[in-house]
Structures are given as C-alpha cells and as structure tokens.
Amino acid sequence: MFSHILVPVDGSDNSFAALDKAVALSQLTGAVLSILTVYRHHSLLEASLSMVRKSDPRPFDDVMREHATEVAELAKARAVAGGVGEVHAYVRNGAVARGIVNFARDRAVDLIVMGGRGAGSAENYMLGSISHKVTSLTQGPVMVV
C-alpha cells in the first residue's frame, strides 16, 4: 500500500507520537521511512542578538541546525529500535510547511504522517498550524496524529 512514508519531527511529544504511528505503518507495509526536521532561518536581528549571549555566542542558525540534527538522529534511533528496516533522517532549513511538501514531492512520498500540534511558534497560532498548511499544500495523503 505505502512504499515511502515521511514523518516530520520537531522534538515535540506530538511529533514523536506521529513517528510511532509511522513506524507501525512502515512495519505493516515494509515502507521506507524518511524522517525530516525543518528549522527556520532567523533574521539578522536575531542573529545579532546571539553575539551578546556569552554562554553560547554562535549564530542562531548554527544552534538551530545542531538542535534539528539531534532531533532527527533521536527520531531515527527510535525508528530503528522500533524495527523499521530502512530509515533515513534529513535536516533542512527554510519555511517548514513548504519544506515538508517539497521534500515529499521530490522524494515521491506516498504518505506524510505528522503531529497535529508541534513545538510551533506564535506565528502558527495566527496563521494556522504546520499540519493544516501541509494538508492544504500537498497533493498526497496526510495522516495527522
């Protein structure tokens, strides 16, 4: 039924619940599981603020990339421990919903499994959740957990 499942993870409990559902579906269907963590680029103002943080003076993008990589690797380890045969973890920078949709299109994903609420930001409360945006933008099926 499914040969390639995508699960976006952001480190939230809901994204890991979606990961668990995707792991179960992958086991049932033998689908390849792709894990995607997308982080947003920060503004120059936010980056300049990082220069006054004495504990960690690195630019925010570097910190965000490192955190996103940790989340993706943790999710991959969880999927492998759950018995998924083929798992890949990816980290991307950019607009989150469009990044998920573009990744799914470019990789011929059969199903996107994602949490209904993630770590999010104040922007998501005003403009709608990432899961809502993904379901609106994609042509393929999306399971919201």
Side-chain angles (χ1 to χ4, degrees):
M1 181 175 202
F2 300 115
S3 62
H4 191 177
I5 299 171
L6 170 62
V7 58
V9 294
D10 62 5
S12 68
D13 290 342
N14 283 342
S15 72
F16 281 105
L19 174 66
D20 293 341
K21 182 62 73 177
V23 164
L25 287 169
S26 177
Q27 288 177 323
L28 286 173
T29 63
V32 171
L33 183 63
S34 287
I35 295 165
L36 177 65
T37 301
V38 182
Y39 67 98
R40 286 191 62 104
H41 174 77
H42 282 67
S43 71
L44 291 176
L45 173 62
E46 292 168 310
S48 67
L49 291 174
S50 69
M51 292 189 290
V52 296
R53 292 181 303 135
K54 294 179 181 178
S55 64
D56 190 357
R58 296 177 298 157
F60 276 178
D61 279 348
D62 293 346
V63 174
M64 294 296 292
R65 182 182 313 107
E66 184 178 300
H67 176 71
T69 300
E70 290 171 6
V71 168
E73 290 301 319
L74 178 64
K76 181 178 180 180
R78 187 168 172 158
V80 168
V84 176
E86 186 175 348
V87 176
H88 305 279
Y90 303 90
V91 174
R92 298 289 186 268
N93 180 351
V96 178
R98 289 207 180 272
I100 294 166
V101 171
N102 291 341
F103 183 94
R105 183 196 63 230
D106 295 346
R107 303 286 176 135
V109 166
D110 300 318
L111 175 67
I112 300 171
V113 180
M114 61 189 306
R117 284 270 182 222
S121 66
E123 172 186 317
N124 291 335
Y125 293 108
M126 293 184 287
L127 300 176
S129 71
I130 298 299
S131 58
H132 182 326
K133 289 178 188 176
V134 169
T135 59
S136 299
L137 294 171
T138 191
Q139 299 293 318
V142 179
M143 176 186 289
V144 179
V145 178

